[in-house]
Structure formats: structure tokens, C-alpha cells
């Protein structure tokens, strides 16, 4: 059984998708323990608590950067028995960059969802970047976190078309629907030990 933390900064729709998937018994090897946010007003906190009965924690940065802030997250994780040996940490719209000290502690146990086909359109506003660039296909990526932004080994990706009639909002919504499907799937594969890493490539192992 893996103890899971979800880190959010806002709306929390991916968190909702993960917790729904768990509630429907699709993530049998996962125990959701806590939702942590750097933003006390994150809508997702209310959803986690009221809809799913999951504990929530707010850790305000108060100007703290890097490891100085992340060590507070590490301490909360330990309070919920989420250790590098049994933990999974899912970033779901978490808008802070994790320090290398934290990433090293929880090596290959931190997953992130990004709304583009990486390595294209890293960083903020990926949907807008893709839309403005004029690509005809975009999508989303679930990947492990490494020391750089949006560069970690890719677990799973899927694409969506971009039509001439689309607005940026149409594209964002289309990608978001896909995110809600793909993130729980990636977590399930990870929790069932079906991912094997070789170099930076992630292979699916059939068990
Ligand atoms: C999602 O689209 C997620 O992929 C994106 O933020 C949104 C959060 O929505 N994450 C990033 O851009 C990370 N670089 P949500 O709070 O409704 O899950």
C-alpha cells in the first residue's frame, strides 16, 4: 500500500479526478492521506475535506524559498506517514518548483501532470503557448519530477487535436478532460509496480 499526498495550488480538478478514481476502487494500492496547498484559498482544499473527507494542510510560504519551504512539506508528509519508502506525491496544479533536496528525498516518487506534450511548451500557461504557436496537436503528459522544470521521465502522454475554430479555452478544456483520465491511470500503473525506468525511459511492465 502506498501512502499518497496530493499537492495543489488552486481549483483541484485533477485532485478530484484522482480521489474519485480512488473512491471508485480503481486505485486499490493507494491510501490518500493528505492534500497540501501553498494557497489557503485553493478551492481544492474544500473539495478534499468536504467531498472526500481527506485531511488538508496549508503551508504558506511567507517568503520562504526552496528547501527552507520544502522541509515544512517534508515534515507534514512524515506526520502522515508518507515516507520515501512508501509514499507517492502527486502534484496536481501545484505552482511551486520543488527544491532538489526535496526531489532527491522522494526520488521517483513525485508525479506531475502537465498540460502539453512535453518537451514542448514547458512551464506556465502551456495551453496558451501551444495555442499561440499554432500547433495542430497538443495534449498532456504525466511524468516523474526531476531536478529541472517539466523535464523528468515521461510516464504517459496522450494527444488532442486543435481545430481552426478553437479558442484557447476550448483547447484548455479538451486537454483537461484528458488529464482527468490520464493522471489516475498513471498513478494506478505506478502503484501496481508496472513502471520500469531505464535511463530516462519509462517502460510499461505487464504483470
Ligand atoms: C492543470 O491543467 C494542470 O495540468 C496544470 O494546472 C492545471 C491545474 O488544474 N499544471 C501545470 O501547468 C503545471 N505546470 P486543476 O487545479 O484543476 O487540477
Amino acid at each position: 500500500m502506498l501512502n499518497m499526498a496530493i499537492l495543489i495550488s488552486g481549483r483541484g480538478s485533477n485532485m478530484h479526478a484522482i480521489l474519485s478514481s480512488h473512491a471508485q476502487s480503481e486505485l486499490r494500492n493507494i491510501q490518500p492521506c493528505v492534500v497540501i496547498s501553498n494557497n489557503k484559498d485553493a478551492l481544492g482544499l474544500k473539495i478534499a475535506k468536504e467531498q472526500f473527507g481527506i485531511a488538508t494542510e496549508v503551508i504558506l510560504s511567507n517568503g520562504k524559498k526552496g528547501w527552507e519551504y520544502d522541509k515544512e512539506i517534508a515534515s507534514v508528509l512524515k506526520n502522515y506517514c508518507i515516507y520515501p519508502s512508501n509514499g507517492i506525491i502527486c502534484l496536481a496544479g501545484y505552482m511551486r518548483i520543488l527544491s532538489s533536496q526535496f526531489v532527491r528525498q522522494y526520488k521517483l516518487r513525485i508525479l506531475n501532470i502537465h498540460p502539453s506534450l512535453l518537451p514542448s511548451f514547458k512551464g506556465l500557461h502551456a495551453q496558451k503557448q501551444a495555442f499561440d504557436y499554432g500547433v495542430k496537436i497538443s495534449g498532456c503528459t504525466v511524468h516523474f519530477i526531476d531536478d529541472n522544470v517539466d523535464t523528468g521521465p515521461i510516464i504517459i502522454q496522450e494527444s488532442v487535436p486543435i481545430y481552426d475554430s478553437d479558442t484557447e479555452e476550448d483547447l484548455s478544456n479538451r486537454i483537461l478532460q484528458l488529464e482527468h483520465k490520464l493522471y489516475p491511470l498513471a498513478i494506478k500503473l505506478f502503484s501496481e509496480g508496472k513502471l520500469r525506468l531505464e535511463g530516462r525511459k519509462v517502460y510499461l511492465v505487464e504483470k
Side-chain angles (χ1 to χ4, degrees):
M1 186 65 75
L2 295 177
N3 286 345
M4 177 170 73
I6 306 177
L7 272 55
I8 63 168
S9 295
R11 178 177 59 178
S13 72
N14 277 289
M15 174 210 76
H16 186 286
I18 295 164
L19 294 177
S20 298
S21 180
H22 178 264
Q24 288 156 23
S25 305
E26 282 159 17
L27 300 175
R28 289 174 186 277
N29 300 340
I30 297 271
Q31 181 59 50
C33 298
V34 62
V35 171
I36 302 174
S37 181
N38 60 322
N39 169 15
K40 68 176 173 37
D41 298 320
L43 180 62
L45 289 170
K46 207 171 142 63
I47 298 171
K49 213 181 317 179
E50 292 177 8
Q51 217 170 314
F52 294 96
I54 307 281
T56 59
E57 298 277 351
V58 174
I59 305 176
L60 298 176
S61 83
N62 293 324
K64 291 192 201 92
K65 295 203 176 93
W67 175 240
E68 202 196 344
Y69 175 82
D70 289 349
K71 68 183 175 196
E72 296 191 15
I73 298 187
S75 148
V76 168
L77 293 176
K78 284 171 189 144
N79 291 343
Y80 285 88
C81 300
I82 302 168
Y83 304 110
S85 55
N86 71 343
I88 171 171
I89 298 164
C90 298
L91 310 185
Y94 181 66
M95 295 304 179
R96 284 181 68 96
I97 296 170
L98 291 169
S99 59
S100 52
Q101 290 94 325
F102 185 90
V103 173
R104 227 173 293 139
Q105 260 195 32
Y106 284 90
K107 193 169 190 288
L108 294 173
R109 292 198 169 258
I110 313 170
L111 277 62
N112 181 45
I113 183 130
H114 184 76
S116 78
L117 292 175
L118 290 172
S120 293
F121 310 122
K122 299 184 178 107
L124 291 177
H125 312 300
Q127 305 94 328
K128 177 171 169 40
Q129 291 183 53
F131 186 78
D132 290 349
Y133 196 93
V135 291
K136 303 294 183 192
I137 295 172
S138 191
C140 61
T141 304
V142 183
H143 64 94
F144 288 111
I145 290 287
D146 70 1
D147 269 351
N148 293 301
V149 177
D150 299 331
T151 55
I154 290 171
I155 299 169
I156 194 166
Q157 290 185 300
E158 242 182 71
S159 63
V160 296
I162 302 175
Y163 302 114
D164 290 351
S165 57
D166 277 346
T167 60
E168 185 195 321
E169 195 187 353
D170 293 331
L171 174 62
S172 298
N173 288 337
R174 196 172 299 130
I175 293 174
L176 193 64
Q177 295 315 308
L178 194 59
E179 291 184 44
H180 296 163
K181 205 181 75 181
L182 227 57
Y183 208 177
L185 175 59
I187 293 168
K188 182 172 158 68
L189 294 172
F190 178 79
S191 68
E192 291 173 351
K194 289 188 173 165
L195 302 177
R196 181 172 59 84
L197 188 75
E198 234 182 86
R200 60 159 293 116
K201 290 193 186 168
V202 178
Y203 294 98
L204 191 61
V205 185
E206 270 315 319
K207 284 203 162 178

